[in-house]
């Protein structure tokens, strides 16, 4: 069961889930309304500590703000990680409002327009180039502002990573510069007044196989070493991320130690001898925040229809689209779910947990075994720390937006 | 090709798509930013006229605000249709801000909590009961407010409608009261100080088969006649909707005349003789607004990757999730798409149109044949009038929200 270790990480107080040490019904009173997202500050800290204590010390940790851009989360993580990655001008503002230095913020993503590139140049962040057009925009903005832009080149590798939830490298891609085109782009960049720092390769995300991630990292380092032979000295190597978290019963947590061993070997045998000046970064979003958050929604109705029990809650897919199985999934599976104020009770019925939207897509738990829940009880969906609120259609049907708290 | 009749409905001016009679590049200047949604006022009017001239005069038209809750759209439609259906307290406010009388507003959906039911009772709208709990809440709110609640019972039928994009009736459901339980619920209602108006059956949505819709309407009327034998006089019959619109090349537009003929026969043979006092409503959202709107997004980059051409636009799935194929679809298909400022040009290349989000899910056109488009051109996605902006994760990656205009 995926649920038991998840509950254990948060802890229980008198039969209730605890978030940040606060029992759930008290937390709901403090928040003042349901549904809400709650992120556990200590779990975030522990997660970064786990990464620090397991990975080689030289590896820098970058947090991809897109996974959870709540300002309080970014402020907390700014004290713990080495860098931030942002995907839009708004995320860049969130990053720059923290103590994180602009030099340690990277800005990636296709379709960066003139305005956002000018903001990035003015800020002094690292702009990760995804196309030749972006190089021209960077140069133009630098000239206009009298600021020397700091750039890295995102490379679309010539290999694919198997086992990723989403593949973002190999074959034709909207992301990055095809590896074989990088040398000629570097020649253009060398002729311009920009500061070239190094390379970024991000081949895929949400991968639960340490073997596949290690293999991708080895091939990424090989590719970067090859590209580095024809480039100025490399001071920045972003190996991407892709470390997944378990969502379903069948999922096994990633073996972080295997990845750590692989990175140590790559540092020793390849990066340190050949790229001694490189700051080596791995970029993690979901892996840092995903398991540290819960989505809490209240039962507003119980009904039985033709032999099936329904719990109708005041939340739904408008806040947690992925948990409803409707965000790109082929097969719908249940996210871990519990009656957060009855953890001490045994499961005694099989129910469908449905949201309050007027659509059959709004299914949060399909035939799940739960303790009997009554109107007013608090249903908890776990693994809600990443790609929850911001990856959901919050305005759908006009219900109020949920509150987010960092506890 | 699904695209030709769609473009023809909007019209062209000097090789550009016209929305509300305004050529697209001029409209983009008027709006002041891309991406944006534009809804054509005249097409909305025409659509309601088509329904009025085709359907029997006695059929009342209700617009389901959830399909497009833009206040200007609701204001415009308030002058054209007979009723509004709302799915939340916020949609109820939008409806009540128009000239529509509260008596002609219905409030449906599972999970109506005490607060929203009290608002509905205070407003005087028709509350469509989805559970026994809601009956108790309505009675309590009515007593507290000294207002006699006006209710209808939403019935979960004992049959299913085939061919619907989404099935919302038949078998076990979170929606409505199982047909076989309605008589006992009516007995409870009869004992309370509430005004019982009639029944609502909504069996499914986005159906393109007139035969299947007609069959569902016949069975719905049979069911309501049967329930009416054991109920107080029926003054309200909501037959639901489910009328679909074509999205893909393979789709054929619905034969509205067949539905009109069926409704005329049902009125003459069943409803008028047996339910002479009933106001008969059909409830349409997507069918009224879906084809009257476009999503317009600007090309910010062109790139080639390993033999594939990409147009990167400044919009994406964060505004038009369904068009990216990630909102519950099993198979991704392209929505109709065009280069809105080059309608006069022949298709001359096959491209992928991708959004600006840092995810491979953000695909708006997969291998589509288009005239050659340059940076600055305007890509148009059609069939964007319903379930577009509000059914998309607008905060995803922090890009600015798009503007909506009614032209």
């Amino acid at each position: 069961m995926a649920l038991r270790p998840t509950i254990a990480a948060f802890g229980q107080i008198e039969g209730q889930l605890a978030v940040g040490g606060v029992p759930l019904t008290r937390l709901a009173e403090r928040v003042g309304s349901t549904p809400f997202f709650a992120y556990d500050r200590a779990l975030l800290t522990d997660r970064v500590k786990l990464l620090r204590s397991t990975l080689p010390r030289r590896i820098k940790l970058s947090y991809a703000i897109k996974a959870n851009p709540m300002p309080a989360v970014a402020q907390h993580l700014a004290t713990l990680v080495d860098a931030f990655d942002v995907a839009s001008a708004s995320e860049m503002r969130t990053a720059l409002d923290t103590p994180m230095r602009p030099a340690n913020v990277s800005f990636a993503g296709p379709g960066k327009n003139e305005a956002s590139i000018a903001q990035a140049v003015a800020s002094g962040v690292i702009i990760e180039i995804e196309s030749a057009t972006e190089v021209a925009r960077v140069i133009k903005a630098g000239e206009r502002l009298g600021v020397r832009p700091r750039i890295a080149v995102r490379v679309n590798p010539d290999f694919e990573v198997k086992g990723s939830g989403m593949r973002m490298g190999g074959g034709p891609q909207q992301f990055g510069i095809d590896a074989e085109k990088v040398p000629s782009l570097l020649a253009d960049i060398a002729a311009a007044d920009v500061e070239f720092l190094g390379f970024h390769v991000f081949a895929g995300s949400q991968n639960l196989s340490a073997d596949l991630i290690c293999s991708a990292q080895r091939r990424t380092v090989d590719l970067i070493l090859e590209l580095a032979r024809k480039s100025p000295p490399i001071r920045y190597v972003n190996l991407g991320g892709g470390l997944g978290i378990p969502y379903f019963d069948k999922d096994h947590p990633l073996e972080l130690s295997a990845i750590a061993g692989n990175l140590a070997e790559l540092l020793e045998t390849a990066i340190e001898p050949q790229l001694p000046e490189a700051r080596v970064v791995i970029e993690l979003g979901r892996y840092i925040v995903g398991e540290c958050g819960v989505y809490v929604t209240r039962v507003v109705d119980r009904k039985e229809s033709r032999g099936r029990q329904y719990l109708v809650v005041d939340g739904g897919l408008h806040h947690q689209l992925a948990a409803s199985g409707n965000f790109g999934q082929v097969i719908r599976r249940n996210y871990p779910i519990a009656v957060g104020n009855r953890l001490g009770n045994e499961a005694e019925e099989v129910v469908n947990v449905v949201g309050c939207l007027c659509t059959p897509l709004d299914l949060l738990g399909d035939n799940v075994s739960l303790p009997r829940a009554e109107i007013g009880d608090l249903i908890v969906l776990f693994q809600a720390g990443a790609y929850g609120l911001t990856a959901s259609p919050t305005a759908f049907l006009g219900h109020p937006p949920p509150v987010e708290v960092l506890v």
Side-chain angles (χ1 to χ4, degrees), chain A:
Chain A
M1 282 292 292
L3 193 53
R4 290 290 148 204
T6 306
I7 291 180
F10 283 91
Q12 299 185 43
I13 296 173
E14 292 177 359
Q16 297 201 25
L17 186 76
V19 182
V22 182
L24 199 63
T25 53
R26 178 162 170 184
L27 181 60
E29 291 295 322
R30 165 183 150 179
V31 172
S33 59
T34 52
F36 62 90
F37 285 86
Y39 313 117
D40 189 304
R41 189 186 302 265
L43 287 183
L44 287 172
T45 304
D46 289 349
R47 191 68 163 199
V48 177
K49 274 188 191 158
L50 172 72
L51 285 160
R52 295 288 194 197
S53 64
T54 311
L55 298 181
R57 288 190 61 182
R58 189 168 157 194
I59 296 288
K60 303 293 178 189
L61 290 182
S62 178
Y63 171 58
I65 285 185
K66 65 167 86 65
N68 185 329
M70 185 195 184
V73 168
Q75 294 286 349
H76 181 61
L77 288 174
T79 65
L80 301 172
V81 301
D82 305 298
F84 279 154
D85 182 72
V86 301
S88 67
S90 162
E91 288 187 6
M92 188 160 57
R93 280 194 298 277
T94 300
L96 296 175
D97 284 343
T98 74
M100 185 66 70
R101 290 172 50 223
N104 293 332
V105 175
S106 57
F107 179 24
K112 294 192 275 293
N113 61 16
E114 289 192 16
S116 64
I117 281 184
Q119 288 176 272
V121 171
S123 305
V125 305
I126 303 171
I127 300 165
E128 300 198 328
I129 296 294
E130 310 257 359
S131 74
T133 311
E134 291 189 356
V135 175
R137 284 180 183 153
V138 162
I139 293 170
K140 188 176 159 193
E143 285 171 357
R144 182 170 70 78
L145 297 167
V147 174
R148 193 154 193 248
R150 302 173 70 248
I151 67 168
V153 171
R154 178 166 176 182
V155 182
N156 176 25
D158 47 7
F159 58 86
E160 295 179 8
V161 181
K162 306 286 182 196
S164 291
M166 285 191 275
R167 196 170 60 79
M168 300 158 84
Q173 286 288 339
Q174 68 253 52
F175 306 108
I177 309 284
D178 295 343
E180 58 275 20
K181 290 181 185 158
V182 170
S184 78
L185 191 82
L186 289 182
D188 297 345
I189 290 170
D193 190 20
V194 298
E195 189 175 351
F196 169 75
L197 298 168
F199 297 110
H200 175 202
V201 178
F202 198 111
S205 72
Q206 179 52 19
N207 199 321
L208 285 171
S209 161
D211 279 354
L212 294 172
I213 292 173
C214 291
S215 160
Q217 288 175 339
R218 285 192 296 269
R219 298 182 72 173
T220 297
V221 170
D222 284 347
L223 174 61
I224 288 175
L225 290 180
E226 192 190 316
L227 294 172
R229 277 185 214 113
K230 302 162 203 160
S231 88
I234 298 300
R235 285 172 290 148
Y236 172 77
V237 168
N238 184 331
L239 296 175
L243 281 61
I245 65 172
Y247 284 97
F248 311 117
D249 280 351
K250 68 174 184 61
D251 290 344
H252 296 284
L254 190 63
E255 270 184 82
L256 192 60
S257 58
I259 292 168
N262 187 61
L263 285 171
E265 192 183 329
L266 286 172
L267 283 168
E268 192 184 344
T269 61
I271 297 174
E272 284 167 0
Q274 297 187 58
L275 305 173
E277 295 172 56
R279 179 179 163 91
V280 185
V281 175
I282 65 168
E283 187 183 308
L284 304 173
R286 190 193 309 266
Y287 193 78
I288 292 178
V289 293
E291 301 193 74
C292 305
V294 291
Y295 175 62
V296 182
T297 175
R298 199 179 290 280
V299 177
V300 289
D301 209 344
R302 260 195 81 94
K303 59 190 282 194
E304 184 271 339
S305 171
R306 296 183 181 138
R308 189 173 291 170
Q309 298 296 328
Y310 288 88
L311 298 175
V312 185
V313 297
D314 60 3
L317 70 77
H318 49 319
H319 303 156
Q320 255 298 49
L321 183 60
S324 77
N326 291 299
F327 195 25
Q329 292 101 325
V330 176
I331 299 169
R332 191 201 172 286
R333 292 192 180 91
N334 291 320
Y335 274 36
I337 190 168
V339 185
N341 57 322
R342 296 185 191 270
L343 293 186
N345 298 13
E346 291 297 315
E348 60 176 289
E349 63 178 4
V350 173
V351 297
N352 273 20
V353 179
V354 299
C356 61
L357 300 190
C358 213
T359 163
L361 298 177
D362 199 6
L363 177 59
L364 298 178
D366 186 18
N367 278 307
V368 289
S369 292
L370 291 178
R372 185 179 165 92
E374 303 295 342
I375 291 173
D377 280 347
L378 297 169
I379 298 292
V380 176
L381 283 162
F382 293 90
Q383 314 298 74
Y387 303 113
L389 179 57
T390 59
S392 300
T394 44
F396 198 37
L397 274 54
H399 292 278
V403 171
E404 289 183 294
V405 290
L406 175 63
V407 192

